[in-house]
Every structure is written in structure tokens, then in C-alpha cells.
Amino acid sequence: MLSLRRRAVIGGALSAIIAVIVGTYLLYSLMSSIAVSRFDQALVERHTQIIVALNDSNAAPEELNKQVFDPGFRTPFSGRYWQVTAPDGQTFTSNSLLSETLAVPPGVTEGPLFRDIFALADEPVRSVHQSVILSNGETWGVTVAESRERLAVEHRATRSSLLLAFALVGMLGIAGTILQTKAIMHPLDRLRRDVSGRWDSDEGLEVSEYPEEVAPLVADINELLERNREIVARARRQAADLAHALKTPTTILQNELTTLSEQGLPVDASLEALRRVDAQLGRSLARMRAANSGASARAMTRLSSSAARFTRLFQKMAERDGKRLIAECESDILVRIDAQDIEEVMGNLLDNALKYCTTTVSFSLGTTPDGVELSIEDDGPGIPEAARHEALSSGGRLDSSKPGTGLGLAIALDLVRAYGADLELQRSDKLGGLAARVTIPKKLIRSQQDALLRLPLAAE
């Protein structure tokens, strides 16, 4: 469906084009009519001159060429002609007609009769004919004609001028429509920007700052924003309460099973099953938490601070296992992601890398043209390309010789996708093992100034 902006522009442009076409046609018709009237008026004046000259010559038409001084009547093919018809039907013409005659209507005409006829060599002319009674009482037919070429030239000039003028008017009309549409749509554009910003804060929209036609919509949006914040807060509280309620009994059961295992009882299968149940619950709760935060999360996380803290923690863990962690992280990277979610992603990826590496893990964080890239690589065996999808799926555990549930990567993928980010598994060009890369898009990145002005910082 077309947007309101496009509808307004297209509707305004069509209106301008129709107005230009109709206006051009009407004005051209009017100006053409005026031009014909002027042309006919000039014909009537010349027709009157011939009548006066004929009357002065006492009906001696052979003298008319001497008495009429207009050079157009004396020059052959000049486009200007006269013709008189005596009562006995004898015809006398101007020198410009040579031996040709003009077609005249039959009978007696009381008033001037205008007609479009042809003269020499089928030249189109416009003529005026009238039967007049001279002072001696005789009735003569008097015809004056002039070429329509001058009228056609005037019509063409008028048409060209009108087309140029109305084309300019049309362009101005379309430009005015675009500007008017922009002015009308400005409050809606501003409303869109304001709503986008209000998702990240507890502030409402100021109804008085919008036109009265938009004010009811702004009030409804304020109510919707408030309800959304309440729903998100309630859902996150419920997820946290559920996690706390489930964590305690599962921890107790694991401790009991571990004690029984240490006493030599065969409870390893039960302990493994409980760990998988605990991991599945953790994943489900993480997905619930992410689904109720995602793009709606109001916390701003200083990702570089979280990365520095996890680097120190996992470097100690790597040293304890005789391994090493190399970190290259940019400073002052702020993202609109809940700190608990992004840190769970980091922890799962670093834990996997440290578990499966041979000696080295590389951790890098930096900005790219597309946003922010968080990359964790190792020199372990890696994951074959055909098995990477399974590794990211629920319960896709590929190596049962290592401790764990096989849900770390799946949980990380759920969390990053809840915010519109992505996680890819590739082969590490630097270390040869697995490379897990999280790409955070630009829309989730905030400047430090923006964060200080609007949002509370997490992970300081």
C-alpha cells in the first residue's frame, strides 16, 4: 500500500497536471477566440474602406484599384484581396487576385458574413461578404479576404507561450505539492522519531507539541508505551522469580546426586539428566528474558567494560589450565543490550573456546562499517561446516567427552537474535580452530553523549 507521503505527492501532482491541461485548453480557446475577433475586426475595417471607395467612385469599380491605397491589394499573391459584384453579376477584383475570383455566397446578405475559403493556388483565406446599397440605390456585393497564415502564426505563438507558461506553473505546482506534503507530514515524522526514542526511556510524549489532528493519536501512543513498559517489567520480574524458584531445588538435587555419586552409587545418568534439565530451564528462561527485553531494553551496556572484566576472569582460568587468552578490545563501545544478556553470550562463547582449545584463545571486540563485531577464536579442532547448524540447535552436543550440556551456543544465539544481532560459526583464519563472531548492528550502538543524556549505563 502506498504511503501517505506518496499518496499526497501523487495526488497533488495529478491535480496540478489536470489543472494545467484544463487551464491551457481554456485559456488557449479564449485567446484564439480573441485573435479571430481581432482578425475579423481588421477584415471589417478593410471591408468598410472598399464600400466607401466604391460609393465615392459612383459605382465605377474599375477605378477602385486607384482609390484603394493599401499596397497589399495591388501586389499579386499578397494574401490580401477584395472583390465587388455589380447588380448585373459582373465581378471586379483587386490586382492581387490577378484573374481569379473569390467564392461568394448566393443571394443577398444583409449583414457581414465571415467564411473560411480558398483563394489563389488554394491559399486558405478568411473572408467577409456583405450586400450593400450604394447612394445611387444599387445593391452591390462586397467581399474582402485575407490569408489565414497570419492567424495561424499567431495561434502557434500563443500555443507555444501558453505551453511554456503552464509547464512552469505545473512544475511550480508539483514543487508546491511536495513542499506542502513535507510540511503536513512533518508532525508525523517527528512523532515517529519521538516514539522511537521513547521506547528507551520512561518519558511520555508531550501532546501539546503536536497539531490538534494528531493529538488524540499521541495520547493513545502514550498509553500504549506505558502499558508496554508495564508488560515488559512484569514479564522480566516473573522470569527472574521463576528462575530463582527453580534454581534452588535443582541445585539441591545436583548436590545430593553428586554426594551419592561420590559414595559410589550409580547416579551419573541421573546427574547428567538433571544438568540437562537445568540447562534447558536456563535456556528457556534466557529466551523469556530476551523476548521481553530485546529492542525494548532501556539499559545501555558499556560493552568494553564487560569485555575487560571477562578477559581478566578467563585469563586466570586459562592460566590455571596451562593455556592463554589474548584480548584486543576497543574502549568506549556502548550498545543498547541488557548487560546480563550480552555477558551471558560472552561467558558461553569464552567457556566453549577455553574448553575446546589446545593452547590459545583470542578475544577481540571492535567497530566495523556494519556495527560492532565480537569475535572469539581458538586453536582447537573446530566444528565442521556441516555440523555447525546442529551445534547451534537445541541439545546439539557434538563432543560427549567434554563436560557440559551442549546448549551454550544455542542460548547465545537466542539472546543475540532477540536484539536483532547475529551469531556465526566459522573457521578461524588466525588460529585454525573455531571462530564465533557476534555482529551487533548499528541501530544498537549509541554514542557516549547519547547514553549520558538519556539512558542508565550498565556494566560499569
Side-chain angles (χ1 to χ4, degrees):
M1 182 178 292
L2 289 177
S3 65
L4 293 177
R5 189 187 308 277
R6 289 187 178 180
R7 289 185 182 187
V9 172
I10 292 175
L14 289 177
S15 299
I17 292 172
I18 292 173
V20 165
I21 293 174
V22 174
T24 302
Y25 174 77
L26 293 177
L27 191 55
Y28 176 71
S29 299
L30 176 62
M31 296 186 69
S32 295
S33 177
I34 294 174
V36 171
S37 297
R38 290 201 305 265
F39 191 86
D40 289 347
Q41 183 62 35
L43 278 179
V44 169
E45 292 174 357
R46 296 189 182 91
H47 185 268
T48 302
Q49 293 176 5
I50 299 301
I51 293 174
V52 171
L54 180 63
N55 198 56
D56 290 344
S57 66
N58 295 319
E62 63 276 1
E63 302 295 327
L64 283 179
N65 280 314
K66 297 179 181 179
Q67 297 185 26
V68 178
F69 300 103
D70 192 329
F73 291 128
R74 299 181 180 182
T75 306
F77 300 100
S78 65
R80 186 171 295 174
Y81 316 103
W82 61 259
Q83 176 180 298
V84 295
T85 305
D88 58 3
Q90 188 177 3
T91 299
F92 302 90
T93 63
S94 62
N95 291 336
S96 57
L97 269 174
L98 300 178
S99 59
E100 300 291 330
T101 59
L102 300 173
V104 297
V108 176
T109 57
E110 296 182 357
L113 177 63
F114 295 93
R115 299 193 308 161
D116 292 328
I117 59 175
F118 293 94
L120 295 175
D122 293 331
E123 178 186 14
V125 296
R126 184 167 176 80
S127 68
V128 56
H129 174 82
Q130 185 178 5
S131 299
V132 297
I133 301 175
L134 302 183
S135 57
N136 58 9
E138 295 180 344
T139 301
W140 287 68
V142 180
T143 303
V144 174
E146 186 163 352
S147 173
R148 295 204 301 268
E149 179 61 28
R150 183 173 64 84
L151 187 60
V153 170
E154 188 171 352
H155 282 175
R156 287 195 295 270
T158 300
R159 184 166 57 248
S160 299
S161 299
L162 286 178
L163 288 176
L164 180 61
F166 274 93
L168 179 60
V169 170
M171 288 188 290
L172 291 176
I174 293 174
T177 298
I178 295 174
L179 293 176
Q180 183 181 17
T181 300
K182 184 176 181 180
I184 293 175
M185 295 297 295
H186 177 71
L188 295 180
D189 292 336
R190 178 187 174 188
L191 177 60
R192 178 180 58 80
R193 293 192 300 269
D194 289 349
V195 169
S196 177
R198 292 311 190 275
W199 287 114
D200 304 330
S201 66
D202 293 326
E203 299 178 5
L205 301 173
E206 186 60 46
V207 178
S208 61
E209 295 180 357
Y210 297 89
E212 59 182 10
E213 294 83 2
V214 185
L217 175 62
V218 176
D220 292 340
I221 291 176
N222 276 336
E223 184 177 355
L224 178 63
L225 288 171
E226 184 60 30
R227 287 183 180 179
N228 181 75
R229 295 187 189 106
E230 292 177 359
I231 292 172
V232 170
R234 185 166 57 250
R236 289 177 67 85
R237 285 196 304 270
Q238 290 174 352
D241 293 343
L242 182 59
H244 180 73
L246 292 174
K247 193 69 176 176
T248 300
T250 55
T251 301
I252 293 174
L253 288 174
Q254 286 188 46
N255 291 336
E256 293 294 331
L257 289 174
T258 301
T259 302
L260 292 175
S261 176
E262 291 174 352
Q263 294 175 359
L265 295 177
V267 294
D268 291 344
S270 300
L271 185 59
E272 177 66 17
L274 183 59
R275 286 172 178 168
R276 291 186 63 80
V277 169
D278 186 45
Q280 287 285 7
L281 287 173
R283 184 190 184 193
S284 297
L285 292 171
R287 293 175 71 177
M288 290 173 57
R289 189 178 69 249
N292 288 288
S293 57
S296 301
R298 297 195 298 272
M300 182 74 69
T301 300
R302 191 181 298 279
L303 194 56
S304 50
S305 297
S306 297
R309 188 168 65 256
F310 272 72
T311 297
R312 291 192 297 269
L313 174 63
F314 278 88
Q315 278 179 340
K316 293 180 180 178
M317 295 171 60
E319 291 174 0
R320 184 186 62 196
D321 296 336
K323 301 176 181 180
R324 61 173 183 155
L325 171 65
I326 304 172
E328 295 180 4
C329 300
E330 290 185 18
S331 59
D332 294 329
I333 297 180
L334 306 174
V335 293
R336 199 180 72 181
I337 299 178
D338 185 79
Q340 183 180 355
D341 293 337
I342 191 62
E343 289 183 356
E344 186 166 352
V345 171
M346 264 192 245
N348 285 342
L349 296 180
L350 284 169
D351 183 64
N352 277 348
L354 191 60
K355 186 186 302 179
Y356 290 99
C357 76
T358 303
T359 59
T360 306
V361 174
S362 172
F363 179 27
S364 62
L365 173 68
T367 56
T368 67
D370 297 325
V372 170
E373 182 178 273
L374 186 154
S375 179
I376 298 175
E377 306 177 49
D378 61 66
D379 61 351
I383 300 177
E385 184 175 356
R388 289 170 189 168
H389 176 74
E390 182 182 356
L392 291 172
S393 63
S394 177
R397 187 176 179 190
L398 302 180
D399 186 0
S400 59
S401 65
K402 300 288 186 180
T405 61
L407 290 174
L409 291 176
I411 293 174
L413 181 63
D414 290 339
L415 289 172
V416 297
R417 285 187 174 175
Y419 292 89
D422 198 15
L423 167 62
E424 292 185 357
L425 301 181
Q426 303 171 352
R427 180 171 179 78
S428 171
D429 294 332
K430 181 164 57 176
L431 298 179
L434 180 68
R437 290 190 172 88
V438 175
T439 303
I440 302 175
K442 285 184 177 180
K443 66 180 181 180
L444 296 178
I445 303 173
R446 289 292 183 269
S447 67
Q448 188 169 5
Q449 181 180 6
D450 186 24
L452 292 174
L453 289 175
R454 295 171 53 189
L455 302 174
L457 279 177
E460 286 291 354

mmCIF file of all heavy atoms in Angstrom, residues 89-109:
data_model
loop_
_atom_site.group_PDB
_atom_site.id
_atom_site.type_symbol
_atom_site.label_atom_id
_atom_site.label_comp_id
_atom_site.label_asym_id
_atom_site.label_seq_id
_atom_site.Cartn_x
_atom_site.Cartn_y
_atom_site.Cartn_z
ATOM 1 N N GLY A 89 -24.237 41.182 -62.030
ATOM 2 C CA GLY A 89 -23.430 39.979 -61.866
ATOM 3 C C GLY A 89 -21.994 40.119 -62.315
ATOM 4 O O GLY A 89 -21.207 39.167 -62.165
ATOM 5 N N GLN A 90 -21.608 41.247 -62.882
ATOM 6 C CA GLN A 90 -20.233 41.445 -63.311
ATOM 7 C C GLN A 90 -19.329 41.581 -62.077
ATOM 8 O O GLN A 90 -19.692 42.219 -61.095
ATOM 9 C CB GLN A 90 -20.132 42.695 -64.188
ATOM 10 C CG GLN A 90 -18.764 42.865 -64.832
ATOM 11 C CD GLN A 90 -18.710 44.071 -65.766
ATOM 12 O OE1 GLN A 90 -19.686 44.816 -65.894
ATOM 13 N NE2 GLN A 90 -17.585 44.267 -66.411
ATOM 14 N N THR A 91 -18.129 40.976 -62.136
ATOM 15 C CA THR A 91 -17.227 40.916 -60.991
ATOM 16 C C THR A 91 -15.970 41.728 -61.270
ATOM 17 O O THR A 91 -15.373 41.638 -62.353
ATOM 18 C CB THR A 91 -16.823 39.469 -60.686
ATOM 19 O OG1 THR A 91 -18.012 38.720 -60.377
ATOM 20 C CG2 THR A 91 -15.893 39.403 -59.485
ATOM 21 N N PHE A 92 -15.553 42.486 -60.266
ATOM 22 C CA PHE A 92 -14.322 43.268 -60.325
ATOM 23 C C PHE A 92 -13.468 42.880 -59.110
ATOM 24 O O PHE A 92 -13.981 42.726 -58.006
ATOM 25 C CB PHE A 92 -14.634 44.772 -60.301
ATOM 26 C CG PHE A 92 -15.526 45.213 -61.420
ATOM 27 C CD1 PHE A 92 -16.916 45.206 -61.263
ATOM 28 C CD2 PHE A 92 -14.984 45.622 -62.636
ATOM 29 C CE1 PHE A 92 -17.736 45.610 -62.298
ATOM 30 C CE2 PHE A 92 -15.829 46.030 -63.666
ATOM 31 C CZ PHE A 92 -17.206 46.017 -63.506
ATOM 32 N N THR A 93 -12.169 42.733 -59.359
ATOM 33 C CA THR A 93 -11.280 42.249 -58.279
ATOM 34 C C THR A 93 -10.069 43.147 -58.131
ATOM 35 O O THR A 93 -9.736 43.935 -59.026
ATOM 36 C CB THR A 93 -10.814 40.808 -58.557
ATOM 37 O OG1 THR A 93 -10.042 40.812 -59.773
ATOM 38 C CG2 THR A 93 -11.996 39.868 -58.709
ATOM 39 N N SER A 94 -9.372 42.951 -57.000
ATOM 40 C CA SER A 94 -8.128 43.686 -56.760
ATOM 41 C C SER A 94 -7.033 43.114 -57.645
ATOM 42 O O SER A 94 -7.110 41.978 -58.130
ATOM 43 C CB SER A 94 -7.737 43.575 -55.277
ATOM 44 O OG SER A 94 -7.493 42.219 -54.946
ATOM 45 N N ASN A 95 -5.977 43.914 -57.833
ATOM 46 C CA ASN A 95 -4.853 43.451 -58.650
ATOM 47 C C ASN A 95 -4.174 42.229 -58.034
ATOM 48 O O ASN A 95 -3.562 41.419 -58.738
ATOM 49 C CB ASN A 95 -3.823 44.578 -58.801
ATOM 50 C CG ASN A 95 -4.357 45.714 -59.666
ATOM 51 O OD1 ASN A 95 -5.259 45.521 -60.489
ATOM 52 N ND2 ASN A 95 -3.818 46.923 -59.463
ATOM 53 N N SER A 96 -4.287 42.072 -56.699
ATOM 54 C CA SER A 96 -3.636 40.935 -56.028
ATOM 55 C C SER A 96 -4.271 39.601 -56.403
ATOM 56 O O SER A 96 -3.653 38.553 -56.273
ATOM 57 C CB SER A 96 -3.689 41.127 -54.508
ATOM 58 O OG SER A 96 -5.033 41.284 -54.082
ATOM 59 N N LEU A 97 -5.519 39.623 -56.903
ATOM 60 C CA LEU A 97 -6.199 38.394 -57.300
ATOM 61 C C LEU A 97 -5.907 37.995 -58.739
ATOM 62 O O LEU A 97 -6.307 36.899 -59.158
ATOM 63 C CB LEU A 97 -7.710 38.546 -57.131
ATOM 64 C CG LEU A 97 -8.312 38.120 -55.791
ATOM 65 C CD1 LEU A 97 -9.783 38.458 -55.731
ATOM 66 C CD2 LEU A 97 -8.094 36.645 -55.547
ATOM 67 N N LEU A 98 -5.217 38.883 -59.443
ATOM 68 C CA LEU A 98 -4.967 38.638 -60.872
ATOM 69 C C LEU A 98 -6.296 38.383 -61.582
ATOM 70 O O LEU A 98 -7.198 39.204 -61.512
ATOM 71 C CB LEU A 98 -3.994 37.467 -61.033
ATOM 72 C CG LEU A 98 -2.607 37.652 -60.377
ATOM 73 C CD1 LEU A 98 -1.742 36.422 -60.567
ATOM 74 C CD2 LEU A 98 -1.921 38.890 -60.925
ATOM 75 N N SER A 99 -6.436 37.253 -62.212
ATOM 76 C CA SER A 99 -7.679 36.959 -62.943
ATOM 77 C C SER A 99 -8.601 36.024 -62.172
ATOM 78 O O SER A 99 -9.638 35.593 -62.703
ATOM 79 C CB SER A 99 -7.355 36.333 -64.309
ATOM 80 O OG SER A 99 -6.609 35.128 -64.127
ATOM 81 N N GLU A 100 -8.220 35.686 -60.919
ATOM 82 C CA GLU A 100 -9.031 34.776 -60.114
ATOM 83 C C GLU A 100 -10.151 35.540 -59.417
ATOM 84 O O GLU A 100 -10.148 36.777 -59.329
ATOM 85 C CB GLU A 100 -8.161 34.071 -59.073
ATOM 86 C CG GLU A 100 -7.030 33.234 -59.656
ATOM 87 C CD GLU A 100 -7.552 32.008 -60.387
ATOM 88 O OE1 GLU A 100 -8.624 31.506 -59.994
ATOM 89 O OE2 GLU A 100 -6.898 31.562 -61.330
ATOM 90 N N THR A 101 -11.129 34.780 -58.931
ATOM 91 C CA THR A 101 -12.238 35.375 -58.181
ATOM 92 C C THR A 101 -12.409 34.616 -56.867
ATOM 93 O O THR A 101 -11.936 33.496 -56.702
ATOM 94 C CB THR A 101 -13.555 35.318 -58.964
ATOM 95 O OG1 THR A 101 -13.859 33.954 -59.267
ATOM 96 C CG2 THR A 101 -13.461 36.131 -60.254
ATOM 97 N N LEU A 102 -13.092 35.280 -55.929
ATOM 98 C CA LEU A 102 -13.378 34.679 -54.648
ATOM 99 C C LEU A 102 -14.777 34.089 -54.650
ATOM 100 O O LEU A 102 -15.700 34.630 -55.275
ATOM 101 C CB LEU A 102 -13.276 35.718 -53.521
ATOM 102 C CG LEU A 102 -11.917 36.410 -53.333
ATOM 103 C CD1 LEU A 102 -12.037 37.533 -52.297
ATOM 104 C CD2 LEU A 102 -10.873 35.394 -52.880
ATOM 105 N N ALA A 103 -14.947 32.994 -53.964
ATOM 106 C CA ALA A 103 -16.267 32.384 -53.846
ATOM 107 C C ALA A 103 -17.131 33.239 -52.926
ATOM 108 O O ALA A 103 -16.694 33.641 -51.849
ATOM 109 C CB ALA A 103 -16.147 30.970 -53.292
ATOM 110 N N VAL A 104 -18.339 33.565 -53.393
ATOM 111 C CA VAL A 104 -19.263 34.397 -52.616
ATOM 112 C C VAL A 104 -20.552 33.626 -52.411
ATOM 113 O O VAL A 104 -20.931 32.775 -53.235
ATOM 114 C CB VAL A 104 -19.542 35.740 -53.313
ATOM 115 C CG1 VAL A 104 -18.273 36.557 -53.422
ATOM 116 C CG2 VAL A 104 -20.164 35.512 -54.683
ATOM 117 N N PRO A 105 -21.219 33.880 -51.286
ATOM 118 C CA PRO A 105 -22.480 33.179 -51.038
ATOM 119 C C PRO A 105 -23.566 33.676 -52.002
ATOM 120 O O PRO A 105 -23.552 34.852 -52.410
ATOM 121 C CB PRO A 105 -22.810 33.538 -49.596
ATOM 122 C CG PRO A 105 -22.116 34.848 -49.364
ATOM 123 C CD PRO A 105 -20.877 34.802 -50.189
ATOM 124 N N PRO A 106 -24.486 32.812 -52.384
ATOM 125 C CA PRO A 106 -25.550 33.243 -53.299
ATOM 126 C C PRO A 106 -26.570 34.145 -52.598
ATOM 127 O O PRO A 106 -26.722 34.091 -51.381
ATOM 128 C CB PRO A 106 -26.196 31.915 -53.712
ATOM 129 C CG PRO A 106 -25.934 30.995 -52.553
ATOM 130 C CD PRO A 106 -24.591 31.400 -52.029
ATOM 131 N N GLY A 107 -27.230 34.946 -53.357
ATOM 132 C CA GLY A 107 -28.292 35.785 -52.812
ATOM 133 C C GLY A 107 -27.760 37.036 -52.155
ATOM 134 O O GLY A 107 -26.575 37.388 -52.248
ATOM 135 N N VAL A 108 -28.635 37.692 -51.440
ATOM 136 C CA VAL A 108 -28.321 38.960 -50.781
ATOM 137 C C VAL A 108 -28.089 38.688 -49.291
ATOM 138 O O VAL A 108 -28.881 38.010 -48.645
ATOM 139 C CB VAL A 108 -29.463 39.973 -50.971
ATOM 140 C CG1 VAL A 108 -29.164 41.256 -50.205
ATOM 141 C CG2 VAL A 108 -29.680 40.252 -52.446
ATOM 142 N N THR A 109 -26.984 39.211 -48.765
ATOM 143 C CA THR A 109 -26.691 39.102 -47.336
ATOM 144 C C THR A 109 -26.828 40.466 -46.690
ATOM 145 O O THR A 109 -26.222 41.449 -47.127
ATOM 146 C CB THR A 109 -25.256 38.585 -47.124
ATOM 147 O OG1 THR A 109 -24.336 39.446 -47.790
ATOM 148 C CG2 THR A 109 -25.105 37.185 -47.710
#
